[in-house]
Amino acid sequence: MAVTTSIHGMWSSRLAFILAATGSAVGLGNVWRFPYTTGEYGGGAFVLVYLLCVAGIGIPIMMAEVMLGRRGRQSPINTMRMLAKAEGRHPAWQLLGWMGIVAGFLILSFYSVVAGWTLAYVFRAAGGAFTGASAESIAAQFGTFIGDPERLLAWHTIFMVMCVLVVARGVASGLERSVRVLMPALFVLLFILVAYSATNGYFAQALEYMFRPDFSKLGTAGVLSAMGQAFFSLSLGMGAIMIYGSYLSSQASIGRNVVIIAGMDTLVAILAGLAIFPIVFASGLTPQLGSGMVFKVLPIAFGQMAFGQVFGTLFFVLLVFAAWTSAISLLEPVVAWLVENRGFSRVRASVLAGIAAWLLGILSLLSLNVWSGVTVFGLGFMDLFEFVAANVLLPLGGLLIAVFAGWVLSRAASTDELDTGRKAYAIWRFLVRYLAPVAVAVVLASAVGLLKALGLE
Ligand code: TRP
């Protein structure tokens, strides 16, 4: 019989789950990572592949993840062990949970560093640092900032403490209210920014850049990166959505909720692109601005628009909140596991996990300045962690989740969880059994081929 509650607590309502999962999905991935990776791979073709991945791979895998979590009602490791046992399969399926923990630490470590940039930029915007500044001086400001390890460390530390505080108290309390108010506020502000960019930037050029696919610039690396971005942005493949699903009541409809969450996440990413690219072109910049893109581009607009100081401050505040509600979902799976298997208190588990991610984050932070010469496979630590987590571990985790939900879990179990219509169920089952695993496997395999060709293997 299905377990109906989790020892870690439950969402107070269906809305609470939607808010929490949207809070997890919408974050730096949409506003910071989507625009800069789009710029790296030439625009339209990348966006198209990303959208296809969200619809054909991301949504069915997100449904699978919520479903598995709700059936297991434990941390991803124990959920996978229990479900595999219930289906008479090998306990090795729990390795999926372990892989998720590794991915979670890698992501949280650099995520907190970038969230720290966002925190710092709240104060810069408020202090009027961008008012009337040229694109060059804004880029120079950013360069000086990330060149200073002590500053980065201070902000990274503050952000990690913020995350530990929330997770220690339990994800449900506090989260609901902040997402309910702040997420709509972020939407409104993004709309204002898009309106500004539409009237003051090169909007037509940006639209063409984002929506006219030019596949010559994409390549295997671009396809891999677009797929990785879909996983990253939807918080898939490492157990975050699984654990959030484990706190969801057995009555809620998984399909409908997942479509809403994925839709909102995608909308925020597109809006962020529409806010940023018109300014990129109007300022005579190229889209290959790298991971500093948002911090180099939006301040130009804040420096020129009416009430720019107010909008700029508000924007970075909201981005901090979006990052915060995402980061806590990266910490939750490992904390739940420490509570279940090690008998730790929530507080102790959160502090320990936070310290581990914080230490790992220092590697990322130093790779931006002091250790900029230290590379592994040609990448500094931050780029390496980002690449391995987003483009390898998350897709691999997602692939295994799809295979488990489509092939291992009995049909009776998945029909029971997904009380969608017959047609919707049939589509989901096809996607999760065939399309998603095959597509992910093909992309990963061709990426390995690419590495071989580069002689890196
Ligand atoms: N989706 C978040 C963002 O876009 C980041 C994130 C939170 C995440 N939890 C995750 C990414 C789990 C991958 C897996 O900012």
Side-chain angles (χ1 to χ4, degrees):
M1 259 293 81
V3 193
T4 55
T5 57
S6 160
I7 60 158
H8 307 288
M10 296 288 289
W11 302 120
S12 60
S13 64
R14 172 184 93 106
L15 185 67
F17 167 75
I18 296 193
L19 290 171
T22 309
S24 167
V26 176
L28 295 171
N30 310 61
V31 179
W32 159 72
R33 201 168 189 275
F34 172 75
Y36 101 73
T37 42
T38 299
E40 207 165 287
Y41 291 104
F46 179 91
V47 174
L48 182 67
V49 176
Y50 162 74
L51 292 175
L52 289 175
C53 287
V54 168
I57 303 175
I59 290 180
I61 291 184
M62 191 185 272
M63 288 172 66
E65 218 176 304
V66 178
M67 177 178 94
L68 297 179
R70 188 164 78 172
R71 264 195 116 63
R73 298 253 183 243
Q74 298 164 62
S75 65
I77 293 172
N78 290 326
T79 284
M80 291 311 296
R81 181 191 299 134
M82 185 200 108
L83 294 178
K85 192 170 170 208
E87 301 290 343
R89 296 305 171 99
H90 202 277
W93 276 103
Q94 68 180 288
L95 286 176
L96 175 55
W98 287 105
M99 212 170 74
I101 302 266
V102 174
F105 273 119
L106 286 178
I107 297 173
L108 183 58
S109 71
F110 68 78
Y111 203 88
S112 169
V113 173
V114 179
W117 303 352
T118 316
L119 271 171
Y121 269 61
V122 169
F123 296 93
R124 297 202 166 195
F130 313 132
T131 314
S134 66
E136 298 81 62
S137 84
I138 282 170
Q141 269 189 44
F142 180 77
T144 315
F145 173 61
I146 64 164
D148 183 347
E150 285 165 22
R151 260 167 202 256
L152 297 186
L153 181 63
W155 292 114
H156 166 53
T157 309
I158 294 172
F159 185 77
M160 195 63 84
V161 169
M162 287 164 56
C163 295
V164 168
L165 285 177
V166 173
V167 178
R169 292 186 55 200
V171 234
S173 56
L175 184 87
E176 190 165 344
R177 216 170 326 133
S178 61
V179 184
R180 198 192 288 254
V181 180
L182 297 167
M183 204 54 74
L186 182 65
F187 264 106
V188 171
L189 209 71
L190 276 173
F191 271 112
I192 293 175
L193 288 179
V194 173
Y196 174 84
S197 294
T199 43
N200 297 278
Y202 290 5
F203 202 62
Q205 203 176 331
L207 280 179
E208 170 154 351
Y209 182 76
M210 280 178 69
F211 298 109
R212 174 166 304 166
D214 173 359
F215 285 94
S216 68
K217 294 191 189 132
L218 195 62
T220 308
V223 174
L224 177 69
S225 194
M227 183 177 78
Q229 174 60 18
F231 277 98
F232 188 90
S233 193
L234 294 170
S235 299
L236 293 180
M238 61 73 65
I241 292 295
M242 196 184 285
I243 193 120
Y244 276 16
S246 77
Y247 308 148
L248 179 66
S249 98
S250 309
Q251 279 84 46
S253 153
I254 292 178
R256 188 163 350 120
N257 288 341
V258 162
V259 169
I260 294 172
I261 295 159
M264 288 201 280
D265 184 67
T266 307
L267 185 62
V268 173
I270 298 292
L271 286 177
L274 290 177
I276 290 172
F277 284 109
I279 299 169
V280 170
F281 295 122
S283 312
L285 300 168
T286 54
Q288 285 85 22
L289 286 168
S291 69
M293 187 184 230
V294 204
F295 301 91
K296 290 177 179 167
V297 175
L298 287 183
I300 303 173
F302 297 135
Q304 286 166 4
M305 66 172 75
F307 306 109
Q309 218 164 323
V310 177
F311 284 136
T313 310
L314 208 58
F315 172 80
F316 285 113
V317 166
L318 293 172
L319 192 53
V320 167
F321 274 97
W324 199 6
T325 56
S326 297
I328 59 176
S329 76
L330 287 160
L331 214 44
E332 183 64 13
V334 68
V335 167
W337 180 79
L338 286 170
V339 171
E340 287 165 12
N341 288 43
R342 291 283 174 268
F344 286 10
S345 70
R346 240 195 124 73
V347 174
R348 184 154 169 236
S350 313
V351 170
L352 272 179
I355 290 175
W358 177 80
L359 285 172
L360 200 57
I362 294 176
L363 295 183
S364 287
L365 180 165
L366 291 174
S367 75
L368 299 168
N369 35 67
V370 193
W371 288 352
S372 57
V374 182
T375 57
V376 182
F377 298 122
L379 298 173
F381 285 118
M382 183 155 168
D383 294 338
L384 179 75
F385 292 173
E386 225 185 301
F387 185 90
V388 171
N391 297 348
V392 183
L393 295 178
L394 297 181
L396 211 56
L399 172 85
L400 293 174
I401 288 167
V403 169
F404 192 90
W407 296 93
V408 175
L409 199 71
S410 71
R411 202 187 173 108
S414 58
T415 342
D416 179 35
E417 292 292 337
L418 303 175
D419 52 354
T420 41
R422 273 165 168 255
K423 230 196 192 139
Y425 179 81
I427 296 173
W428 172 79
R429 201 165 156 87
F430 169 77
L431 293 176
V432 104
R433 277 166 80 96
Y434 302 101
L435 187 97
V438 171
V440 173
V442 166
V443 175
L444 285 178
S446 41
V448 172
L450 185 74
L451 285 183
K452 271 204 187 122
L454 292 172
L456 275 176
E457 211 204 353

PDB file of all heavy atoms in Angstrom, residues 24-30 107 111 231-238 240 265 326-327 329-330 394, ligand 1:
ATOM      1  N   SER A  24      11.832  26.191  -6.725  1.00  0.00           N
ATOM      2  CA  SER A  24      13.046  25.436  -7.015  1.00  0.00           C
ATOM      3  C   SER A  24      13.484  25.630  -8.460  1.00  0.00           C
ATOM      4  O   SER A  24      14.651  25.852  -8.756  1.00  0.00           O
ATOM      5  CB  SER A  24      12.808  23.942  -6.743  1.00  0.00           C
ATOM      6  OG  SER A  24      13.845  23.176  -7.298  1.00  0.00           O
ATOM      7  N   ALA A  25      12.525  25.550  -9.363  1.00  0.00           N
ATOM      8  CA  ALA A  25      12.859  25.620 -10.787  1.00  0.00           C
ATOM      9  C   ALA A  25      13.323  27.018 -11.190  1.00  0.00           C
ATOM     10  O   ALA A  25      14.346  27.186 -11.852  1.00  0.00           O
ATOM     11  CB  ALA A  25      11.653  25.194 -11.629  1.00  0.00           C
ATOM     12  N   VAL A  26      12.563  28.036 -10.812  1.00  0.00           N
ATOM     13  CA  VAL A  26      12.891  29.400 -11.224  1.00  0.00           C
ATOM     14  C   VAL A  26      14.010  29.936 -10.347  1.00  0.00           C
ATOM     15  O   VAL A  26      13.876  30.004  -9.129  1.00  0.00           O
ATOM     16  CB  VAL A  26      11.657  30.318 -11.104  1.00  0.00           C
ATOM     17  CG1 VAL A  26      12.038  31.750 -11.429  1.00  0.00           C
ATOM     18  CG2 VAL A  26      10.557  29.836 -12.025  1.00  0.00           C
ATOM     19  N   GLY A  27      15.094  30.265 -10.969  1.00  0.00           N
ATOM     20  CA  GLY A  27      16.228  30.768 -10.194  1.00  0.00           C
ATOM     21  C   GLY A  27      17.289  31.327 -11.114  1.00  0.00           C
ATOM     22  O   GLY A  27      16.991  31.820 -12.210  1.00  0.00           O
ATOM     23  N   LEU A  28      18.525  31.219 -10.681  1.00  0.00           N
ATOM     24  CA  LEU A  28      19.620  31.732 -11.488  1.00  0.00           C
ATOM     25  C   LEU A  28      19.689  31.025 -12.832  1.00  0.00           C
ATOM     26  O   LEU A  28      20.163  31.583 -13.814  1.00  0.00           O
ATOM     27  CB  LEU A  28      20.937  31.536 -10.734  1.00  0.00           C
ATOM     28  CG  LEU A  28      21.067  32.329  -9.439  1.00  0.00           C
ATOM     29  CD1 LEU A  28      22.306  31.890  -8.667  1.00  0.00           C
ATOM     30  CD2 LEU A  28      21.151  33.823  -9.752  1.00  0.00           C
ATOM     31  N   GLY A  29      19.216  29.793 -12.868  1.00  0.00           N
ATOM     32  CA  GLY A  29      19.222  29.044 -14.122  1.00  0.00           C
ATOM     33  C   GLY A  29      18.484  29.774 -15.229  1.00  0.00           C
ATOM     34  O   GLY A  29      18.901  29.750 -16.391  1.00  0.00           O
ATOM     35  N   ASN A  30      17.401  30.435 -14.880  1.00  0.00           N
ATOM     36  CA  ASN A  30      16.597  31.132 -15.882  1.00  0.00           C
ATOM     37  C   ASN A  30      17.200  32.479 -16.255  1.00  0.00           C
ATOM     38  O   ASN A  30      17.245  32.852 -17.419  1.00  0.00           O
ATOM     39  CB  ASN A  30      15.187  31.397 -15.346  1.00  0.00           C
ATOM     40  CG  ASN A  30      14.563  30.156 -14.772  1.00  0.00           C
ATOM     41  OD1 ASN A  30      15.079  29.582 -13.814  1.00  0.00           O
ATOM     42  ND2 ASN A  30      13.491  29.712 -15.365  1.00  0.00           N
ATOM     43  N   ILE A 107      26.394  21.483  -7.770  1.00  0.00           N
ATOM     44  CA  ILE A 107      25.609  22.639  -8.212  1.00  0.00           C
ATOM     45  C   ILE A 107      25.530  23.687  -7.110  1.00  0.00           C
ATOM     46  O   ILE A 107      25.809  24.864  -7.330  1.00  0.00           O
ATOM     47  CB  ILE A 107      24.192  22.217  -8.656  1.00  0.00           C
ATOM     48  CG1 ILE A 107      24.278  21.284  -9.872  1.00  0.00           C
ATOM     49  CG2 ILE A 107      23.342  23.444  -9.000  1.00  0.00           C
ATOM     50  CD1 ILE A 107      22.956  20.678 -10.279  1.00  0.00           C
ATOM     51  N   TYR A 111      26.541  27.569  -7.349  1.00  0.00           N
ATOM     52  CA  TYR A 111      25.293  28.342  -7.333  1.00  0.00           C
ATOM     53  C   TYR A 111      25.350  29.415  -6.237  1.00  0.00           C
ATOM     54  O   TYR A 111      24.946  30.553  -6.430  1.00  0.00           O
ATOM     55  CB  TYR A 111      24.141  27.381  -7.058  1.00  0.00           C
ATOM     56  CG  TYR A 111      22.786  27.854  -7.528  1.00  0.00           C
ATOM     57  CD1 TYR A 111      22.358  27.588  -8.822  1.00  0.00           C
ATOM     58  CD2 TYR A 111      21.931  28.541  -6.684  1.00  0.00           C
ATOM     59  CE1 TYR A 111      21.115  27.994  -9.249  1.00  0.00           C
ATOM     60  CE2 TYR A 111      20.688  28.949  -7.113  1.00  0.00           C
ATOM     61  CZ  TYR A 111      20.281  28.668  -8.399  1.00  0.00           C
ATOM     62  OH  TYR A 111      19.051  29.082  -8.826  1.00  0.00           O
ATOM     63  N   PHE A 231      17.458  20.436 -18.089  1.00  0.00           N
ATOM     64  CA  PHE A 231      17.485  19.725 -16.804  1.00  0.00           C
ATOM     65  C   PHE A 231      17.773  20.683 -15.660  1.00  0.00           C
ATOM     66  O   PHE A 231      17.117  20.657 -14.620  1.00  0.00           O
ATOM     67  CB  PHE A 231      18.546  18.617 -16.824  1.00  0.00           C
ATOM     68  CG  PHE A 231      18.071  17.346 -17.470  1.00  0.00           C
ATOM     69  CD1 PHE A 231      18.372  17.060 -18.795  1.00  0.00           C
ATOM     70  CD2 PHE A 231      17.315  16.432 -16.755  1.00  0.00           C
ATOM     71  CE1 PHE A 231      17.930  15.885 -19.395  1.00  0.00           C
ATOM     72  CE2 PHE A 231      16.869  15.257 -17.339  1.00  0.00           C
ATOM     73  CZ  PHE A 231      17.170  14.979 -18.663  1.00  0.00           C
ATOM     74  N   PHE A 232      18.772  21.525 -15.877  1.00  0.00           N
ATOM     75  CA  PHE A 232      19.186  22.447 -14.814  1.00  0.00           C
ATOM     76  C   PHE A 232      18.042  23.385 -14.440  1.00  0.00           C
ATOM     77  O   PHE A 232      17.723  23.571 -13.274  1.00  0.00           O
ATOM     78  CB  PHE A 232      20.399  23.257 -15.290  1.00  0.00           C
ATOM     79  CG  PHE A 232      21.026  24.109 -14.216  1.00  0.00           C
ATOM     80  CD1 PHE A 232      22.036  23.608 -13.413  1.00  0.00           C
ATOM     81  CD2 PHE A 232      20.598  25.413 -14.008  1.00  0.00           C
ATOM     82  CE1 PHE A 232      22.610  24.392 -12.415  1.00  0.00           C
ATOM     83  CE2 PHE A 232      21.163  26.200 -13.019  1.00  0.00           C
ATOM     84  CZ  PHE A 232      22.174  25.688 -12.225  1.00  0.00           C
ATOM     85  N   SER A 233      17.428  23.953 -15.458  1.00  0.00           N
ATOM     86  CA  SER A 233      16.406  24.951 -15.190  1.00  0.00           C
ATOM     87  C   SER A 233      15.171  24.349 -14.526  1.00  0.00           C
ATOM     88  O   SER A 233      14.535  24.989 -13.689  1.00  0.00           O
ATOM     89  CB  SER A 233      16.018  25.650 -16.495  1.00  0.00           C
ATOM     90  OG  SER A 233      15.257  26.792 -16.228  1.00  0.00           O
ATOM     91  N   LEU A 234      14.837  23.117 -14.888  1.00  0.00           N
ATOM     92  CA  LEU A 234      13.653  22.480 -14.292  1.00  0.00           C
ATOM     93  C   LEU A 234      13.989  21.762 -12.981  1.00  0.00           C
ATOM     94  O   LEU A 234      13.136  21.104 -12.392  1.00  0.00           O
ATOM     95  CB  LEU A 234      13.045  21.485 -15.290  1.00  0.00           C
ATOM     96  CG  LEU A 234      12.445  22.101 -16.562  1.00  0.00           C
ATOM     97  CD1 LEU A 234      12.100  21.011 -17.569  1.00  0.00           C
ATOM     98  CD2 LEU A 234      11.216  22.934 -16.242  1.00  0.00           C
ATOM     99  N   SER A 235      15.223  21.861 -12.532  1.00  0.00           N
ATOM    100  CA  SER A 235      15.681  21.204 -11.292  1.00  0.00           C
ATOM    101  C   SER A 235      15.577  19.685 -11.355  1.00  0.00           C
ATOM    102  O   SER A 235      15.307  19.024 -10.353  1.00  0.00           O
ATOM    103  CB  SER A 235      14.869  21.670 -10.064  1.00  0.00           C
ATOM    104  OG  SER A 235      15.006  23.029  -9.857  1.00  0.00           O
ATOM    105  N   LEU A 236      15.790  19.120 -12.535  1.00  0.00           N
ATOM    106  CA  LEU A 236      15.579  17.682 -12.699  1.00  0.00           C
ATOM    107  C   LEU A 236      16.854  16.868 -12.592  1.00  0.00           C
ATOM    108  O   LEU A 236      17.943  17.368 -12.811  1.00  0.00           O
ATOM    109  CB  LEU A 236      14.982  17.402 -14.082  1.00  0.00           C
ATOM    110  CG  LEU A 236      13.581  17.931 -14.295  1.00  0.00           C
ATOM    111  CD1 LEU A 236      13.126  17.586 -15.697  1.00  0.00           C
ATOM    112  CD2 LEU A 236      12.639  17.347 -13.261  1.00  0.00           C
ATOM    113  N   GLY A 237      16.696  15.596 -12.280  1.00  0.00           N
ATOM    114  CA  GLY A 237      17.791  14.652 -12.410  1.00  0.00           C
ATOM    115  C   GLY A 237      18.631  14.440 -11.169  1.00  0.00           C
ATOM    116  O   GLY A 237      19.559  13.638 -11.194  1.00  0.00           O
ATOM    117  N   MET A 238      18.356  15.175 -10.079  1.00  0.00           N
ATOM    118  CA  MET A 238      19.165  14.932  -8.885  1.00  0.00           C
ATOM    119  C   MET A 238      18.328  14.670  -7.630  1.00  0.00           C
ATOM    120  O   MET A 238      18.878  14.505  -6.550  1.00  0.00           O
ATOM    121  CB  MET A 238      20.183  16.047  -8.644  1.00  0.00           C
ATOM    122  CG  MET A 238      19.696  17.442  -8.415  1.00  0.00           C
ATOM    123  SD  MET A 238      18.927  17.801  -6.830  1.00  0.00           S
ATOM    124  CE  MET A 238      20.288  17.556  -5.704  1.00  0.00           C
ATOM    125  N   ALA A 240      15.783  16.673  -6.369  1.00  0.00           N
ATOM    126  CA  ALA A 240      15.153  17.831  -5.722  1.00  0.00           C
ATOM    127  C   ALA A 240      13.637  17.781  -5.908  1.00  0.00           C
ATOM    128  O   ALA A 240      12.868  17.934  -4.955  1.00  0.00           O
ATOM    129  CB  ALA A 240      15.715  19.136  -6.289  1.00  0.00           C
ATOM    130  N   ASP A 265       8.466  28.171 -15.498  1.00  0.00           N
ATOM    131  CA  ASP A 265       9.930  28.201 -15.553  1.00  0.00           C
ATOM    132  C   ASP A 265      10.412  28.659 -16.930  1.00  0.00           C
ATOM    133  O   ASP A 265      11.306  29.496 -17.045  1.00  0.00           O
ATOM    134  CB  ASP A 265      10.474  26.799 -15.234  1.00  0.00           C
ATOM    135  CG  ASP A 265      11.985  26.791 -15.170  1.00  0.00           C
ATOM    136  OD1 ASP A 265      12.532  27.418 -14.251  1.00  0.00           O
ATOM    137  OD2 ASP A 265      12.617  26.177 -16.051  1.00  0.00           O
ATOM    138  N   SER A 326      15.657  28.224  -4.849  1.00  0.00           N
ATOM    139  CA  SER A 326      16.211  27.131  -5.646  1.00  0.00           C
ATOM    140  C   SER A 326      17.267  26.382  -4.846  1.00  0.00           C
ATOM    141  O   SER A 326      17.296  25.153  -4.819  1.00  0.00           O
ATOM    142  CB  SER A 326      16.867  27.660  -6.923  1.00  0.00           C
ATOM    143  OG  SER A 326      15.916  28.275  -7.745  1.00  0.00           O
ATOM    144  N   ALA A 327      18.137  27.146  -4.213  1.00  0.00           N
ATOM    145  CA  ALA A 327      19.276  26.534  -3.527  1.00  0.00           C
ATOM    146  C   ALA A 327      18.822  25.608  -2.397  1.00  0.00           C
ATOM    147  O   ALA A 327      19.423  24.558  -2.171  1.00  0.00           O
ATOM    148  CB  ALA A 327      20.214  27.620  -2.998  1.00  0.00           C
ATOM    149  N   SER A 329      16.384  23.709  -2.354  1.00  0.00           N
ATOM    150  CA  SER A 329      15.958  22.409  -2.892  1.00  0.00           C
ATOM    151  C   SER A 329      17.156  21.543  -3.258  1.00  0.00           C
ATOM    152  O   SER A 329      17.033  20.341  -3.432  1.00  0.00           O
ATOM    153  CB  SER A 329      15.039  22.596  -4.098  1.00  0.00           C
ATOM    154  OG  SER A 329      15.770  22.967  -5.239  1.00  0.00           O
ATOM    155  N   LEU A 330      18.325  22.181  -3.390  1.00  0.00           N
ATOM    156  CA  LEU A 330      19.536  21.400  -3.650  1.00  0.00           C
ATOM    157  C   LEU A 330      20.054  20.755  -2.366  1.00  0.00           C
ATOM    158  O   LEU A 330      20.719  19.734  -2.386  1.00  0.00           O
ATOM    159  CB  LEU A 330      20.622  22.303  -4.243  1.00  0.00           C
ATOM    160  CG  LEU A 330      20.384  22.736  -5.690  1.00  0.00           C
ATOM    161  CD1 LEU A 330      21.190  23.975  -6.024  1.00  0.00           C
ATOM    162  CD2 LEU A 330      20.742  21.611  -6.649  1.00  0.00           C
ATOM    163  N   LEU A 394      23.071  15.397 -14.396  1.00  0.00           N
ATOM    164  CA  LEU A 394      21.607  15.579 -14.418  1.00  0.00           C
ATOM    165  C   LEU A 394      20.954  14.780 -15.548  1.00  0.00           C
ATOM    166  O   LEU A 394      19.974  14.064 -15.310  1.00  0.00           O
ATOM    167  CB  LEU A 394      21.231  17.060 -14.518  1.00  0.00           C
ATOM    168  CG  LEU A 394      21.652  17.974 -13.366  1.00  0.00           C
ATOM    169  CD1 LEU A 394      21.186  19.403 -13.613  1.00  0.00           C
ATOM    170  CD2 LEU A 394      21.133  17.477 -12.033  1.00  0.00           C
TER     171      LEU A 394
HETATM  172  N1  TRP B   1      16.496  25.087 -11.256  1.00  0.00           N
HETATM  173  C1  TRP B   1      17.256  26.012 -10.495  1.00  0.00           C
HETATM  174  C2  TRP B   1      17.564  27.218 -11.354  1.00  0.00           C
HETATM  175  O1  TRP B   1      17.228  27.238 -12.484  1.00  0.00           O
HETATM  176  C3  TRP B   1      18.505  25.400  -9.921  1.00  0.00           C
HETATM  177  C4  TRP B   1      18.231  24.135  -9.190  1.00  0.00           C
HETATM  178  C5  TRP B   1      17.590  23.993  -8.016  1.00  0.00           C
HETATM  179  C6  TRP B   1      18.539  22.844  -9.635  1.00  0.00           C
HETATM  180  N2  TRP B   1      17.470  22.688  -7.698  1.00  0.00           N
HETATM  181  C7  TRP B   1      18.026  21.941  -8.672  1.00  0.00           C
HETATM  182  C8  TRP B   1      19.159  22.368 -10.754  1.00  0.00           C
HETATM  183  C9  TRP B   1      18.160  20.593  -8.850  1.00  0.00           C
HETATM  184  C10 TRP B   1      19.299  20.999 -10.923  1.00  0.00           C
HETATM  185  C11 TRP B   1      18.797  20.104  -9.995  1.00  0.00           C
HETATM  186  O2  TRP B   1      18.150  28.148 -10.914  1.00  0.00           O
END
